[in-house]
Amino acid sequence: MIKLNLNGKDHEFDAPGDMPLLWALRDVAGLTGTKYGCGMALCGACTVHVDGQPTRACVTPLAAVAGKQVVTIEAIAEQPAGKAVQEAWRKLDVVQCGYCQSGQIMAASALLSANRNPSDADIDTAMSGNLCRCATYVRIRAAIHEAARSLA
């Protein structure tokens, strides 16, 4: 049994320790907001927060997060930065196909939790590991700036 705090609640997973966190979230916990993209931690679609840090769930073994706090897209709006990012995403109509957006929002929320006034360079660096096939990068950057303004 692997215990962790998932979205603010203690949770026990009866699953192998080498199961990727992504599958534990999606298939065991039923939280399907975190997406499978490349399976190699290259695209960022599976980004979640582990103890506040953006983490690729597709390559993180479940055992590696035992005793830690895991936050997924389903609960990110409970954090000020996450709520601001989601509101900015809606306001600026960032989403095109939407597949990568949960990972994008998780990465942007982690950035704004650490840096409430990011520059374009800060945003580009923080978001560089999150790919968008629709190339909505200009709207993503604008939404992060909008979220930062709302947090000021």
Side-chain angles (χ1 to χ4, degrees):
M1 202 61 81
I2 297 173
K3 298 178 183 177
L4 57 102
N5 185 287
L6 176 59
N7 292 335
K9 296 178 183 165
D10 291 335
H11 196 88
E12 293 182 354
F13 285 89
D14 185 12
D18 63 348
M19 173 185 274
L21 176 59
L22 176 62
W23 301 130
L25 294 172
R26 291 183 59 85
D27 295 345
V28 180
L31 299 174
T32 58
T34 304
K35 304 299 183 196
Y36 174 80
C38 65
M40 297 182 290
L42 300 173
C43 73
C46 65
T47 302
V48 298
H49 293 181
V50 176
D51 287 343
Q53 297 300 311
T55 302
R56 302 298 193 249
C58 70
V59 295
T60 302
L62 180 60
V65 299
K68 297 185 177 182
Q69 293 187 346
V70 176
V71 176
T72 68
I73 190 70
E74 285 85 355
I76 196 63
E78 296 172 15
Q79 300 177 359
K83 181 177 181 180
V85 167
Q86 286 189 328
E87 289 173 355
W89 245 244
R90 283 190 286 271
K91 180 178 179 180
L92 299 182
D93 198 20
V94 170
V95 175
Q96 193 160 326
C97 87
Y99 195 81
C100 69
Q101 295 303 306
S102 62
Q104 300 277 357
I105 288 169
M106 296 304 289
S109 298
L111 168 63
L112 291 178
S113 292
N115 179 357
R116 294 286 171 107
N117 189 23
S119 66
D120 284 348
D122 294 334
I123 293 170
D124 292 347
T125 298
M127 303 301 291
S128 65
N130 289 76
L131 305 179
C132 174
R133 291 184 290 184
C134 303
T136 60
Y137 299 111
V138 173
R139 292 195 310 235
I140 289 170
R141 184 191 291 162
I144 293 170
H145 282 302
E146 174 68 23
R149 280 190 293 274
S150 75
L151 289 168

